[in-house]
Amino acid sequence: MPGNLEPLDLGIQIPYHFRCPISLDLMSDPVTISTGQTYDRTSIDSWIAMGNTTCPVTRVALSDFTLIPNHTLRRLIQEWCVANRSNGVERIPTPKQPADPISVRSLLSQASAISGTHVSVRSRAAAIRRLRGLARDSEKNRVLIAGHNAREILVRILFADVETTSSSSELVSESLALLVLLHMTETEYEAIASDPGRVGFMTRLLFDSSIEIRVNAAALIEMVLTGSKSMDLKLIISGSDSIFEGVLDLLKNPISSRRALKIGIKAIFALCLVKQTRHLAISAGAPGILIDRLAADFDRCDTERGLATVELLCRLPEGCAAFSEHALTVPLMVKTILRVSDRATEYAAGALLALCTAEERCRDEAAAAGLVTQLLLLVQSDCTERAKRKAQMLLKLLRDSWPDDSTVNSDDFNRSEVAPF
């Protein structure tokens, strides 16, 4: 067996025994199985998860599925990485070990104990904090923690006293932070949504003095809304002025983190999917806040959600009126077309269609911002059919607002393949 494999693009050779036999990549977390063979943890985990019960190299049946960290080999790999740093090789980090089921059970038992003193409350919170650290490390750890009835325990701790006004306690903070890292079932989401006391408690947490609690409360609200299929339960959650105000405050807060903004836009979008309560978002100031944020610092996915929310709110007359009052609305929607993504283009075109249908002033602003040219490009692009239909309808609306020197008034437009009318 050769001592080295083929050179990498870096121009160096990786020693054979540093490569995973499955992926042939440099191992970052080498583990040894019952046959004595060593693999990268991710690769052998995937192999076993696919239902294989034999060693990939020897084909010998595995006597058990225990993965033993090969610390000696990992340190040798790290030393090799350091020695080849000048060749562009980065040192692999020391991997965090997966959660131990016994430790998880012990921590959950400690967390669910009945508090008798202030110290015991802190001890329970510390146990949940340790579980949260494990949950952050990997999806495998999260599955393990959830498999030990953690969700039920955390929900019980979080909503132990929904009448309390001291919602900023350490125990509430830690249990909420861990709960939003775990996937819940539809039944569990609906158990929260169907309890007015729990819904009210989540709403109060949106106004907590701790920004972390407020962000995690918004995250839980979004999870419950999207995880429940019952429209009646969604209506219960979204039927409060306060819940919109609390979520929107995350978006308008100038010191909000990236995570706060991401969760805020996800939550407001989920709330606005309930059409019966969209007027509450408008009265809470959503139009101005959304446009201000869209004009500043959203990534692609959050921009798409923001634009989708704008289009949803523009389906109400008061929504169109509120958005049209913001000087950046129309120019921003025009600028977005064909700039961000197909989805973003479709949502921006939908919002413009509603605005231009509602007000002549918006049609004039859109034409002045160059919308006609954007629409002509859109209908000839590979964008979605719905976006093209909206573009054609917009072209009809803008017909009387086209500048005299516009492309659509020229002979070239008459010979174009575009047929908006």
Side-chain angles (χ1 to χ4, degrees):
M1 188 172 290
N4 295 289
L5 291 181
E6 291 298 320
L8 296 180
D9 292 339
L10 294 173
I12 61 173
Q13 292 178 323
I14 297 179
Y16 178 83
H17 53 285
F18 287 177
R19 288 183 184 258
C20 174
I22 297 175
S23 67
L24 299 182
D25 291 329
L26 181 69
M27 288 187 283
S28 59
D29 187 7
V31 292
T32 302
I33 61 175
S34 60
T35 61
Q37 295 292 325
T38 297
Y39 303 91
D40 202 24
R41 185 185 294 276
T42 303
S43 298
I44 193 63
D45 271 342
S46 299
W47 171 267
I48 295 173
M50 292 170 62
N52 297 296
T53 58
T54 60
C55 173
V57 171
T58 66
R59 296 298 178 182
V60 174
L62 299 175
S63 58
D64 63 66
F65 297 100
T66 302
L67 304 179
I68 302 173
N70 192 329
H71 297 299
T72 300
L73 180 57
R74 174 180 52 76
R75 283 193 289 268
L76 289 173
I77 293 174
Q78 288 177 324
E79 290 173 1
W80 178 85
C81 290
V82 172
N84 288 275
R85 183 179 299 168
S86 60
N87 294 316
V89 178
E90 294 184 4
R91 180 183 183 275
I92 61 171
T94 300
K96 296 180 180 179
Q97 296 306 309
D100 174 52
I102 296 176
S103 298
V104 169
R105 284 194 295 269
S106 176
L107 289 169
L108 285 171
S109 176
Q110 181 180 345
S112 57
I114 298 176
S115 302
T117 65
H118 179 65
V119 174
S120 65
V121 170
R122 291 198 300 178
S123 177
R124 293 173 65 193
I128 300 174
R129 191 179 303 113
R130 287 182 61 188
L131 287 167
R132 178 159 63 121
L134 293 172
R136 282 175 167 173
D137 285 346
S138 69
E139 176 64 22
K140 188 174 182 179
N141 284 356
R142 290 191 286 274
V143 171
L144 175 63
I145 294 170
H148 283 80
N149 206 30
R151 297 188 301 265
E152 181 180 339
I153 292 172
L154 292 169
V155 167
R156 188 166 62 245
I157 294 172
L158 178 61
F159 299 110
D161 185 4
V162 297
E163 299 301 325
T164 183
T165 57
S166 58
S167 59
S168 60
S169 72
E170 189 179 9
L171 198 57
V172 167
S173 175
E174 294 298 338
S175 59
L176 176 61
L178 177 55
L179 187 60
V180 298
L181 293 177
L182 306 178
H183 300 293
M184 289 190 278
T185 65
E186 182 182 348
T187 301
E188 289 169 328
Y189 286 129
E190 293 186 346
I192 295 175
S194 61
D195 188 328
R198 291 180 172 183
V199 173
F201 184 70
M202 289 191 299
T203 303
R204 291 201 299 275
L205 291 180
L206 290 173
F207 299 91
D208 194 271
S209 58
S210 166
I211 185 64
E212 182 181 13
I213 288 180
R214 290 158 57 192
V215 171
N216 287 329
L220 182 57
I221 289 169
E222 188 271 336
M223 290 168 64
V224 173
L225 281 168
T226 56
S228 173
K229 294 181 180 178
S230 170
M231 188 52 65
D232 290 337
L233 294 180
K234 292 175 185 282
L235 189 57
I236 291 174
I237 296 175
S238 63
S240 164
D241 292 329
S242 298
I243 207 164
F244 282 97
E245 293 170 4
V247 170
L248 287 169
D249 187 66
L250 293 177
L251 294 176
K252 71 179 180 181
N253 193 324
I255 63 172
S256 287
S257 64
R258 284 289 177 183
R259 179 171 179 264
L261 294 177
K262 181 174 289 292
I263 288 175
I265 196 62
K266 289 176 69 176
I268 195 64
F269 173 62
L271 286 166
C272 289
L273 286 174
V274 185
K275 62 182 180 180
Q276 296 93 326
T277 56
R278 286 174 193 160
H279 65 283
L280 297 178
I282 297 169
S283 60
I289 295 170
L290 285 169
I291 295 301
D292 287 341
R293 276 301 180 188
L294 284 167
D297 46 14
F298 275 153
D299 62 21
R300 183 182 64 81
C301 289
D302 294 338
T303 296
E304 290 175 351
R305 287 194 186 94
L307 291 167
T309 307
V310 171
E311 184 181 11
L312 288 173
L313 296 181
C314 280
R315 295 178 183 179
L316 298 179
E318 57 266 44
C320 282
F323 278 110
S324 65
E325 289 300 316
H326 198 298
L328 293 180
T329 298
V330 172
L332 181 62
M333 294 299 108
V334 173
K335 181 181 178 181
T336 300
I337 290 178
L338 298 176
R339 292 285 183 90
V340 179
S341 67
D342 287 352
R343 281 187 177 182
T345 293
E346 182 180 329
Y347 299 143
L352 284 167
L353 179 59
L355 290 167
C356 292
T357 300
E359 295 194 26
E360 182 179 355
R361 175 168 58 86
C362 290
R363 294 196 290 272
D364 293 338
E365 289 181 15
L371 178 59
V372 173
T373 301
Q374 293 288 79
L375 293 176
L376 293 175
L377 293 172
L378 172 56
V379 295
Q380 298 179 86
S381 70
D382 294 327
C383 207
T384 65
E385 289 301 317
R386 285 182 300 183
K388 291 180 181 180
R389 285 196 298 271
K390 291 173 182 178
Q392 291 170 345
M393 295 172 68
L394 270 168
L395 283 169
K396 291 180 182 179
L397 281 174
L398 293 174
R399 181 167 46 191
D400 296 333
S401 300
W402 289 337
D404 293 336
D405 58 350
S406 171
T407 304
V408 292
N409 285 330
S410 69
D411 291 338
D412 291 337
F413 176 72
N414 294 327
R415 291 194 294 268
S416 171
E417 295 180 0
V418 180
F421 308 118

